[in-house]
Amino acid sequence: MILNSTFSGGVLNERLVKGVFRQLRRHARKPIERVPQLTNRDFDLLQSPRALLLDLRPPLAFSSGFIPASINLPDFESPNLLGSAGLVGARSIYLVTDSPQAVDRAAKYFEPFDDMQVAGCFPSRALEDWTAANGATGTIEHITADTLAVRLAAWKTVVADLRDAAAFRRAHIPEAIRIPLKIGRAHV
């Protein structure tokens, strides 16, 4: 908002200007109100190389179907993972969630960044629209430890462990390879 320093009656009163800004701060819209609600007509926004789609749904819902290239960050509870994965910087952030609290947390988290902003939010039902417009969504197969053991013994199966080095040293699946999360996304 730009205020002229003068108006037809003369110089703008400093107390008046301070009062106006105090009122603006008091009545500023909450982050949730600043994040546009998106629809299936907005899927083309995800084609930008700067786009980062964060799916804030619970892991089970995410694994059952997700928009390809999205990242699951349930309820935006651990945003520090974005930095450790090298995903912070010069991005337009899009969310998939029905939780106003998660949108609010994300908007507040990205407020201090000059080159990152929450550009919009898709409701969870957008996955149905994605499937109708683009075909299948991604899924993650849930397997038991016994199934994994059979696959490791019988097939050429590679287990990639994305945990930090200390956790990997404490315990890991035999023959698992450790791929640090920071380089995993860039090189896989």
Side-chain angles (χ1 to χ4, degrees), residues 62-148:
F62 177 81
S63 65
S64 297
F66 57 89
I67 295 173
S70 61
I71 296 170
N72 188 224
L73 197 60
D75 288 327
F76 205 77
E77 290 293 335
S78 302
N80 56 329
L81 292 175
L82 295 172
S84 64
L87 296 173
V88 173
R91 300 221 182 235
S92 295
I93 310 298
Y94 298 96
L95 309 173
V96 174
T97 186
D98 292 324
S99 167
Q101 295 83 9
V103 173
D104 193 45
R105 279 192 292 276
K108 284 179 183 175
Y109 177 81
F110 290 113
E111 268 180 355
F113 294 89
D114 291 332
D115 56 354
M116 293 184 85
Q117 63 181 351
V118 177
C121 180
F122 293 99
S124 294
R125 70 178 179 278
L127 268 64
E128 296 166 12
D129 297 333
W130 176 271
T131 302
N134 300 296
T137 58
T139 59
I140 298 173
E141 180 185 10
H142 292 266
I143 62 171
T144 65
D146 291 337
T147 302
L148 178 60

Coordinates of all heavy atoms in Angstrom, one line a residue, residues 62-148:
F62 N -1.7 -40.3 1.5 CA -0.7 -39.9 0.4 C -0.3 -41.2 -0.3 O -0.3 -41.2 -1.6 CB 0.5 -39.3 1.1 CG 1.6 -39.0 0.1 CD1 1.5 -37.8 -0.7 CD2 2.7 -39.8 -0.1 CE1 2.5 -37.5 -1.6 CE2 3.7 -39.5 -1.0 CZ 3.6 -38.3 -1.8
S63 N 0.1 -42.2 0.4 CA 0.5 -43.5 -0.3 C -0.5 -44.1 -1.1 O -0.2 -44.8 -2.1 CB 1.1 -44.4 0.7 OG 0.1 -44.9 1.6
S64 N -1.8 -43.9 -0.8 CA -2.9 -44.4 -1.6 C -3.1 -43.7 -2.9 O -3.7 -44.3 -3.8 CB -4.2 -44.4 -0.8 OG -4.1 -45.2 0.4
G65 N -2.6 -42.5 -3.1 CA -2.7 -41.8 -4.3 C -2.2 -40.4 -4.1 O -2.6 -39.7 -3.2
F66 N -1.3 -40.0 -5.0 CA -0.7 -38.6 -4.9 C -0.4 -38.1 -6.3 O -0.2 -38.9 -7.3 CB 0.6 -38.6 -4.0 CG 1.6 -39.6 -4.5 CD1 2.6 -39.2 -5.4 CD2 1.7 -40.8 -4.0 CE1 3.6 -40.0 -5.8 CE2 2.7 -41.7 -4.3 CZ 3.7 -41.3 -5.3
I67 N -0.3 -36.8 -6.5 CA 0.0 -36.2 -7.7 C 1.5 -36.4 -7.9 O 2.3 -36.1 -7.0 CB -0.3 -34.7 -7.8 CG1 -1.9 -34.6 -7.7 CG2 0.2 -34.0 -9.0 CD1 -2.4 -33.1 -7.5
P68 N 1.9 -37.0 -9.1 CA 3.4 -37.2 -9.3 C 4.2 -36.0 -9.0 O 3.8 -34.9 -9.3 CB 3.4 -37.6 -10.7 CG 2.1 -38.2 -11.0 CD 1.1 -37.4 -10.2
A69 N 5.4 -36.3 -8.4 CA 6.4 -35.2 -8.0 C 6.0 -34.5 -6.8 O 6.7 -33.6 -6.4 CB 6.7 -34.3 -9.2
S70 N 4.9 -34.8 -6.1 CA 4.6 -34.1 -4.9 C 5.4 -34.7 -3.7 O 5.9 -35.8 -3.8 CB 3.1 -34.2 -4.6 OG 2.7 -35.6 -4.5
I71 N 5.5 -34.0 -2.7 CA 6.2 -34.4 -1.5 C 5.3 -34.4 -0.3 O 4.6 -33.5 -0.1 CB 7.4 -33.4 -1.2 CG1 8.4 -33.5 -2.4 CG2 8.1 -33.7 0.1 CD1 9.4 -32.4 -2.4
N72 N 5.3 -35.5 0.4 CA 4.4 -35.7 1.6 C 5.1 -35.1 2.8 O 6.2 -35.4 3.2 CB 4.1 -37.1 1.8 CG 3.1 -37.4 2.9 OD1 3.2 -38.2 3.7 ND2 2.0 -36.6 2.8
L73 N 4.4 -34.1 3.4 CA 4.9 -33.4 4.6 C 3.6 -33.3 5.5 O 3.0 -32.2 5.5 CB 5.4 -32.0 4.3 CG 6.3 -31.4 5.3 CD1 7.5 -32.2 5.6 CD2 6.7 -30.0 4.8
P74 N 3.2 -34.4 6.1 CA 2.0 -34.5 6.9 C 1.7 -33.3 7.8 O 2.6 -33.0 8.6 CB 2.1 -35.7 7.7 CG 3.0 -36.6 6.9 CD 4.0 -35.6 6.3
D75 N 0.6 -32.6 7.6 CA 0.2 -31.4 8.4 C 1.2 -30.3 8.5 O 1.1 -29.5 9.4 CB -0.3 -31.9 9.8 CG -1.6 -32.6 9.7 OD1 -2.4 -32.3 8.9 OD2 -1.8 -33.6 10.5
F76 N 2.2 -30.3 7.7 CA 3.3 -29.4 7.7 C 3.9 -29.3 9.1 O 4.3 -28.3 9.6 CB 2.8 -28.0 7.3 CG 3.9 -27.1 6.7 CD1 4.4 -27.3 5.5 CD2 4.5 -26.1 7.5 CE1 5.4 -26.5 5.0 CE2 5.5 -25.3 7.0 CZ 6.0 -25.6 5.7
E77 N 4.1 -30.5 9.7 CA 4.6 -30.6 11.0 C 6.2 -30.5 11.1 O 6.7 -30.2 12.1 CB 4.2 -31.9 11.7 CG 2.7 -31.9 12.1 CD 2.3 -30.9 13.1 OE1 3.2 -30.5 14.0 OE2 1.2 -30.4 13.1
S78 N 6.9 -30.9 10.0 CA 8.3 -30.9 10.0 C 8.9 -30.1 8.8 O 9.6 -30.7 8.0 CB 8.8 -32.3 10.0 OG 8.3 -33.0 11.1
P79 N 8.7 -28.8 8.8 CA 9.2 -28.1 7.6 C 10.7 -28.1 7.5 O 11.2 -27.8 6.4 CB 8.6 -26.7 7.8 CG 8.4 -26.6 9.3 CD 8.0 -28.0 9.7
N80 N 11.4 -28.3 8.6 CA 12.9 -28.3 8.5 C 13.4 -29.4 7.5 O 14.5 -29.3 7.0 CB 13.5 -28.5 9.9 CG 13.0 -29.8 10.6 OD1 11.9 -30.2 10.3 ND2 13.8 -30.3 11.4
L81 N 12.5 -30.4 7.2 CA 12.9 -31.5 6.3 C 13.1 -30.9 4.9 O 13.9 -31.4 4.1 CB 11.9 -32.6 6.2 CG 11.8 -33.4 7.5 CD1 10.6 -34.4 7.4 CD2 13.0 -34.2 7.8
L82 N 12.4 -29.8 4.6 CA 12.5 -29.2 3.2 C 14.0 -28.7 3.0 O 14.6 -28.9 2.0 CB 11.5 -28.1 3.1 CG 10.1 -28.5 3.0 CD1 9.2 -27.2 3.1 CD2 9.8 -29.3 1.9
G83 N 14.5 -28.0 4.1 CA 15.8 -27.5 4.0 C 16.9 -28.6 3.9 O 17.8 -28.6 3.1
S84 N 16.7 -29.7 4.7 CA 17.6 -30.8 4.7 C 17.6 -31.6 3.4 O 18.6 -32.2 3.1 CB 17.4 -31.7 5.9 OG 16.2 -32.3 5.8
A85 N 16.5 -31.5 2.7 CA 16.4 -32.1 1.4 C 16.8 -31.2 0.2 O 16.7 -31.6 -0.9 CB 15.0 -32.6 1.1
G86 N 17.3 -30.0 0.6 CA 17.7 -29.0 -0.4 C 16.6 -28.4 -1.3 O 16.8 -28.1 -2.4
L87 N 15.4 -28.3 -0.7 CA 14.2 -27.9 -1.4 C 13.9 -26.4 -1.1 O 12.8 -25.9 -1.6 CB 13.0 -28.8 -1.1 CG 13.2 -30.2 -1.6 CD1 12.0 -31.0 -1.1 CD2 13.3 -30.3 -3.1
V88 N 14.7 -25.7 -0.3 CA 14.4 -24.3 0.0 C 15.1 -23.4 -0.9 O 16.3 -23.6 -1.2 CB 14.8 -24.0 1.5 CG1 14.6 -22.6 1.8 CG2 14.0 -24.9 2.5
G89 N 14.3 -22.5 -1.5 CA 14.9 -21.5 -2.4 C 14.2 -21.3 -3.7 O 13.9 -22.3 -4.4
A90 N 13.8 -20.1 -4.0 CA 13.2 -19.7 -5.3 C 12.2 -20.7 -5.8 O 12.3 -21.3 -6.8 CB 14.3 -19.5 -6.4
R91 N 11.1 -20.8 -5.1 CA 10.0 -21.7 -5.4 C 8.7 -21.1 -5.2 O 8.5 -20.2 -4.4 CB 10.1 -22.9 -4.6 CG 11.4 -23.7 -4.7 CD 11.1 -25.1 -4.8 NE 12.3 -25.9 -4.9 CZ 12.5 -26.8 -5.8 NH1 11.6 -27.0 -6.7 NH2 13.6 -27.5 -5.8
S92 N 7.7 -21.6 -6.0 CA 6.3 -21.3 -5.7 C 5.7 -22.6 -5.1 O 5.8 -23.6 -5.7 CB 5.5 -21.0 -7.0 OG 6.0 -19.8 -7.6
I93 N 5.2 -22.4 -3.9 CA 4.7 -23.6 -3.1 C 3.2 -23.8 -3.3 O 2.5 -22.8 -3.2 CB 5.0 -23.4 -1.6 CG1 6.4 -23.0 -1.3 CG2 4.6 -24.6 -0.8 CD1 7.5 -24.0 -1.8
Y94 N 2.9 -25.0 -3.7 CA 1.5 -25.4 -3.8 C 1.2 -26.5 -2.8 O 2.0 -27.3 -2.6 CB 1.1 -25.8 -5.2 CG 1.4 -24.7 -6.2 CD1 2.6 -24.7 -6.9 CD2 0.4 -23.7 -6.4 CE1 2.8 -23.6 -7.8 CE2 0.6 -22.7 -7.3 CZ 1.8 -22.7 -8.0 OH 2.1 -21.6 -8.9
L95 N 0.0 -26.4 -2.2 CA -0.3 -27.4 -1.1 C -1.5 -28.2 -1.5 O -2.3 -27.8 -2.3 CB -0.7 -26.6 0.2 CG 0.3 -25.6 0.7 CD1 -0.3 -24.8 1.9 CD2 1.6 -26.2 1.1
V96 N -1.6 -29.5 -1.0 CA -2.7 -30.3 -1.1 C -3.1 -30.6 0.3 O -2.4 -31.3 1.0 CB -2.4 -31.6 -1.9 CG1 -3.7 -32.6 -1.8 CG2 -2.0 -31.4 -3.3
T97 N -4.3 -30.1 0.7 CA -4.8 -30.4 2.1 C -6.2 -29.8 2.2 O -6.6 -28.9 1.5 CB -3.8 -29.7 3.2 OG1 -4.3 -30.1 4.5 CG2 -3.8 -28.2 3.1
D98 N -6.9 -30.3 3.2 CA -8.2 -29.8 3.6 C -8.1 -29.1 5.0 O -9.0 -28.7 5.5 CB -9.2 -30.9 3.7 CG -9.5 -31.4 2.3 OD1 -9.5 -30.6 1.3 OD2 -9.8 -32.6 2.2
S99 N -6.9 -29.1 5.6 CA -6.7 -28.6 6.9 C -6.3 -27.1 6.9 O -5.1 -26.7 6.5 CB -5.6 -29.4 7.6 OG -5.1 -28.7 8.8
P100 N -7.1 -26.2 7.4 CA -6.8 -24.8 7.4 C -5.6 -24.5 8.3 O -4.8 -23.6 8.1 CB -8.0 -24.1 8.0 CG -9.1 -25.1 7.9 CD -8.5 -26.4 7.8
Q101 N -5.4 -25.3 9.4 CA -4.3 -25.2 10.3 C -3.0 -25.5 9.6 O -2.0 -24.8 9.8 CB -4.4 -26.1 11.5 CG -5.6 -25.8 12.4 CD -6.9 -26.4 11.9 OE1 -7.0 -27.2 11.0 NE2 -8.0 -26.0 12.5
A102 N -3.0 -26.5 8.7 CA -1.8 -26.9 8.0 C -1.4 -25.8 7.0 O -0.2 -25.4 6.8 CB -1.9 -28.2 7.3
V103 N -2.4 -25.2 6.3 CA -2.2 -24.1 5.4 C -1.6 -22.9 6.1 O -0.7 -22.2 5.7 CB -3.5 -23.7 4.6 CG1 -3.3 -22.5 3.8 CG2 -4.0 -24.9 3.8
D104 N -2.2 -22.6 7.3 CA -1.7 -21.5 8.1 C -0.3 -21.7 8.6 O 0.5 -20.8 8.5 CB -2.6 -21.4 9.4 CG -2.5 -20.1 10.1 OD1 -2.4 -19.0 9.5 OD2 -2.4 -20.2 11.4
R105 N 0.1 -22.9 9.0 CA 1.5 -23.2 9.4 C 2.4 -23.0 8.2 O 3.5 -22.4 8.4 CB 1.6 -24.6 9.9 CG 1.2 -24.8 11.4 CD 1.6 -26.1 12.0 NE 0.9 -27.2 11.4 CZ -0.3 -27.7 11.8 NH1 -0.9 -27.1 12.8 NH2 -0.9 -28.7 11.2
A106 N 2.0 -23.5 7.1 CA 2.9 -23.3 5.9 C 3.0 -21.9 5.5 O 4.2 -21.4 5.2 CB 2.3 -24.1 4.7
A107 N 2.0 -21.1 5.5 CA 2.0 -19.7 5.1 C 2.9 -18.9 6.1 O 3.7 -18.1 5.6 CB 0.6 -19.1 5.0
K108 N 2.8 -19.2 7.3 CA 3.6 -18.5 8.3 C 5.1 -18.9 8.2 O 6.0 -18.1 8.3 CB 3.1 -18.9 9.8 CG 1.9 -18.1 10.1 CD 1.4 -18.5 11.5 CE 0.1 -17.8 11.9 NZ -0.4 -18.2 13.2
Y109 N 5.3 -20.2 7.9 CA 6.7 -20.7 7.7 C 7.4 -20.0 6.6 O 8.6 -19.6 6.7 CB 6.7 -22.2 7.5 CG 8.1 -22.7 7.3 CD1 9.0 -23.0 8.4 CD2 8.6 -23.0 6.0 CE1 10.3 -23.5 8.1 CE2 9.9 -23.5 5.8 CZ 10.7 -23.7 6.9 OH 12.0 -24.2 6.7
F110 N 6.7 -19.8 5.5 CA 7.3 -19.2 4.3 C 7.3 -17.7 4.2 O 7.9 -17.1 3.4 CB 6.7 -19.8 3.0 CG 7.0 -21.2 2.8 CD1 6.1 -22.2 2.9 CD2 8.3 -21.6 2.5 CE1 6.4 -23.5 2.7 CE2 8.7 -22.9 2.3 CZ 7.7 -23.9 2.4
E111 N 6.6 -17.0 5.2 CA 6.5 -15.6 5.2 C 7.9 -14.9 5.1 O 8.1 -13.9 4.4 CB 5.7 -15.1 6.4 CG 4.3 -14.9 6.1 CD 3.5 -14.4 7.4 OE1 4.1 -14.3 8.5 OE2 2.3 -14.1 7.2
P112 N 8.9 -15.3 5.9 CA 10.2 -14.6 5.9 C 11.0 -14.8 4.7 O 11.9 -14.0 4.4 CB 10.9 -15.2 7.1 CG 10.0 -16.1 7.8 CD 8.8 -16.4 7.0
F113 N 10.7 -15.8 3.8 CA 11.4 -16.0 2.6 C 11.0 -15.1 1.5 O 9.8 -14.9 1.2 CB 11.2 -17.5 2.1 CG 11.8 -18.5 3.1 CD1 11.0 -19.0 4.1 CD2 13.1 -19.0 2.9 CE1 11.5 -20.0 4.9 CE2 13.6 -19.9 3.8 CZ 12.8 -20.4 4.8
D114 N 12.0 -14.4 0.9 CA 11.7 -13.5 -0.2 C 11.4 -14.2 -1.5 O 10.6 -13.7 -2.3 CB 12.9 -12.5 -0.4 CG 13.0 -11.5 0.7 OD1 12.0 -11.2 1.4 OD2 14.2 -11.1 0.9
D115 N 12.0 -15.4 -1.7 CA 11.9 -16.1 -2.9 C 11.1 -17.3 -2.9 O 11.1 -18.1 -3.8 CB 13.3 -16.4 -3.5 CG 14.1 -17.2 -2.5 OD1 13.7 -17.4 -1.4 OD2 15.2 -17.7 -2.9
M116 N 10.3 -17.5 -1.8 CA 9.4 -18.6 -1.6 C 8.1 -18.1 -1.1 O 8.1 -17.3 -0.2 CB 10.0 -19.7 -0.7 CG 11.2 -20.4 -1.2 SD 11.7 -21.7 0.0 CE 10.7 -23.0 -0.6
Q117 N 7.0 -18.6 -1.7 CA 5.7 -18.2 -1.2 C 4.7 -19.3 -1.4 O 4.9 -20.1 -2.3 CB 5.2 -16.9 -2.0 CG 5.1 -17.2 -3.5 CD 4.6 -16.0 -4.2 OE1 4.3 -15.0 -3.6 NE2 4.6 -16.0 -5.5
V118 N 3.7 -19.4 -0.6 CA 2.6 -20.3 -0.8 C 1.7 -19.7 -1.8 O 1.0 -18.7 -1.6 CB 1.9 -20.6 0.5 CG1 0.7 -21.6 0.2 CG2 2.8 -21.2 1.5
A119 N 1.7 -20.2 -3.0 CA 1.0 -19.7 -4.1 C -0.5 -20.2 -4.3 O -1.3 -19.5 -5.0 CB 1.7 -19.9 -5.4
G120 N -0.8 -21.3 -3.6 CA -2.1 -21.8 -3.7 C -2.3 -23.1 -3.0 O -1.3 -23.8 -2.7
C121 N -3.6 -23.5 -2.8 CA -3.9 -24.8 -2.1 C -5.0 -25.5 -2.9 O -6.0 -25.0 -3.2 CB -4.3 -24.4 -0.7 SG -4.7 -25.9 0.2
F122 N -4.7 -26.8 -3.2 CA -5.6 -27.7 -3.8 C -6.3 -28.5 -2.6 O -5.6 -28.9 -1.7 CB -5.0 -28.7 -4.7 CG -4.4 -28.1 -5.9 CD1 -3.0 -27.8 -6.0 CD2 -5.2 -27.8 -7.0 CE1 -2.4 -27.3 -7.1 CE2 -4.6 -27.3 -8.2 CZ -3.2 -27.0 -8.2
P123 N -7.6 -28.6 -2.7 CA -8.3 -29.5 -1.7 C -7.9 -31.0 -2.0 O -7.5 -31.3 -3.1 CB -9.8 -29.2 -1.9 CG -9.9 -28.8 -3.3 CD -8.6 -28.0 -3.6
S124 N -8.1 -31.8 -1.1 CA -7.8 -33.3 -1.2 C -8.6 -33.9 -2.4 O -8.1 -34.8 -3.1 CB -8.1 -34.0 0.0 OG -7.2 -33.6 1.0
R125 N -9.8 -33.4 -2.7 CA -10.6 -34.0 -3.8 C -10.0 -33.7 -5.1 O -10.4 -34.2 -6.1 CB -12.0 -33.5 -3.7 CG -12.2 -32.0 -4.0 CD -13.7 -31.6 -4.0 NE -13.8 -30.2 -4.3 CZ -13.6 -29.2 -3.4 NH1 -13.3 -29.5 -2.2 NH2 -13.7 -27.9 -3.8
A126 N -8.9 -32.8 -5.2 CA -8.3 -32.5 -6.4 C -7.6 -33.7 -7.0 O -7.4 -33.8 -8.2 CB -7.2 -31.4 -6.2
L127 N -7.3 -34.7 -6.2 CA -6.7 -35.9 -6.7 C -7.6 -36.6 -7.7 O -7.2 -37.2 -8.7 CB -6.3 -36.9 -5.6 CG -4.9 -36.6 -5.1 CD1 -4.6 -35.3 -4.6 CD2 -4.4 -37.7 -4.2
E128 N -8.9 -36.6 -7.4 CA -9.9 -37.2 -8.3 C -9.9 -36.5 -9.6 O -9.9 -37.1 -10.7 CB -11.3 -37.2 -7.7 CG -11.4 -38.0 -6.4 CD -12.7 -37.7 -5.6 OE1 -13.6 -37.0 -6.1 OE2 -12.8 -38.1 -4.5
D129 N -9.8 -35.1 -9.6 CA -9.8 -34.3 -10.8 C -8.5 -34.6 -11.6 O -8.5 -34.6 -12.8 CB -9.9 -32.8 -10.4 CG -11.2 -32.5 -9.8 OD1 -12.2 -33.2 -10.1 OD2 -11.3 -31.5 -9.0
W130 N -7.4 -34.8 -10.8 CA -6.1 -35.1 -11.5 C -6.2 -36.4 -12.2 O -5.7 -36.5 -13.4 CB -5.0 -35.1 -10.4 CG -3.7 -35.5 -11.0 CD1 -3.2 -36.8 -11.2 CD2 -2.7 -34.7 -11.6 NE1 -2.0 -36.8 -11.8 CE2 -1.6 -35.5 -12.1 CE3 -2.6 -33.3 -11.7 CZ2 -0.5 -34.9 -12.7 CZ3 -1.4 -32.8 -12.3 CH2 -0.4 -33.6 -12.8
T131 N -6.7 -37.4 -11.6 CA -6.9 -38.7 -12.2 C -7.7 -38.6 -13.5 O -7.4 -39.2 -14.5 CB -7.5 -39.7 -11.2 OG1 -6.6 -39.8 -10.1 CG2 -7.6 -41.1 -11.8
A132 N -8.8 -37.9 -13.4 CA -9.7 -37.7 -14.5 C -9.0 -37.0 -15.7 O -9.2 -37.4 -16.9 CB -11.0 -37.0 -14.2
A133 N -8.2 -36.0 -15.4 CA -7.5 -35.2 -16.4 C -6.2 -35.8 -16.9 O -5.9 -35.7 -18.1 CB -7.3 -33.8 -15.9
N134 N -5.5 -36.5 -16.0 CA -4.1 -36.9 -16.4 C -3.8 -38.4 -16.2 O -2.7 -38.8 -16.4 CB -3.1 -36.1 -15.4 CG -3.2 -34.6 -15.6 OD1 -2.9 -34.1 -16.7 ND2 -3.6 -34.0 -14.6
G135 N -4.8 -39.1 -15.9 CA -4.6 -40.6 -15.7 C -4.3 -40.9 -14.2 O -4.7 -40.2 -13.3
A136 N -3.5 -41.9 -14.1 CA -3.2 -42.4 -12.7 C -2.4 -41.4 -11.9 O -1.6 -40.7 -12.3 CB -2.5 -43.7 -12.8
T137 N -2.7 -41.5 -10.6 CA -1.8 -40.9 -9.6 C -0.7 -41.8 -9.2 O -0.8 -43.0 -9.5 CB -2.7 -40.5 -8.3 OG1 -3.2 -41.7 -7.8 CG2 -3.7 -39.5 -8.7
G138 N 0.3 -41.3 -8.5 CA 1.3 -42.2 -8.0 C 0.8 -42.9 -6.7 O -0.2 -42.5 -6.1
T139 N 1.3 -44.1 -6.4 CA 1.0 -44.8 -5.2 C 2.3 -45.4 -4.7 O 3.3 -45.6 -5.4 CB 0.0 -46.0 -5.5 OG1 0.5 -46.9 -6.4 CG2 -1.4 -45.4 -6.0
I140 N 2.2 -45.8 -3.4 CA 3.3 -46.4 -2.7 C 2.8 -47.7 -2.2 O 1.8 -47.7 -1.4 CB 3.9 -45.5 -1.6 CG1 4.4 -44.2 -2.2 CG2 5.0 -46.3 -0.8 CD1 4.9 -43.2 -1.1
E141 N 3.4 -48.8 -2.5 CA 3.0 -50.1 -2.0 C 3.4 -50.3 -0.6 O 4.5 -50.0 -0.2 CB 3.6 -51.2 -2.9 CG 3.2 -52.6 -2.5 CD 4.0 -53.7 -3.3 OE1 4.9 -53.3 -4.0 OE2 3.6 -54.8 -3.1
H142 N 2.4 -50.8 0.2 CA 2.7 -51.1 1.6 C 3.0 -52.6 1.6 O 2.3 -53.4 1.1 CB 1.5 -50.9 2.5 CG 1.2 -49.4 2.6 ND1 1.6 -48.7 3.7 CD2 0.4 -48.6 1.9 CE1 1.2 -47.4 3.6 NE2 0.5 -47.3 2.5
I143 N 4.2 -52.9 2.2 CA 4.6 -54.3 2.3 C 5.0 -54.6 3.8 O 5.4 -53.7 4.5 CB 5.7 -54.7 1.3 CG1 7.0 -53.9 1.7 CG2 5.3 -54.5 -0.1 CD1 8.2 -54.4 0.9
T144 N 4.9 -55.9 4.1 CA 5.3 -56.3 5.4 C 6.8 -56.6 5.4 O 7.4 -56.7 4.4 CB 4.5 -57.6 5.9 OG1 4.9 -58.6 5.0 CG2 3.0 -57.3 5.8
A145 N 7.3 -56.8 6.6 CA 8.7 -57.1 6.7 C 9.0 -58.5 6.1 O 10.0 -58.7 5.4 CB 9.2 -57.2 8.2
D146 N 8.0 -59.4 6.2 CA 8.2 -60.8 5.6 C 8.2 -60.7 4.1 O 9.0 -61.3 3.4 CB 7.0 -61.7 6.1 CG 7.1 -62.0 7.5 OD1 8.2 -62.0 8.1 OD2 6.1 -62.4 8.1
T147 N 7.4 -59.8 3.5 CA 7.3 -59.7 2.1 C 8.7 -59.1 1.6 O 9.2 -59.5 0.6 CB 6.2 -58.8 1.6 OG1 4.9 -59.4 2.1 CG2 6.1 -58.6 0.1
L148 N 9.2 -58.1 2.3 CA 10.5 -57.5 2.0 C 11.6 -58.6 2.0 O 12.4 -58.6 1.2 CB 10.8 -56.3 2.9 CG 12.2 -55.7 2.7 CD1 12.3 -55.1 1.3 CD2 12.4 -54.6 3.7

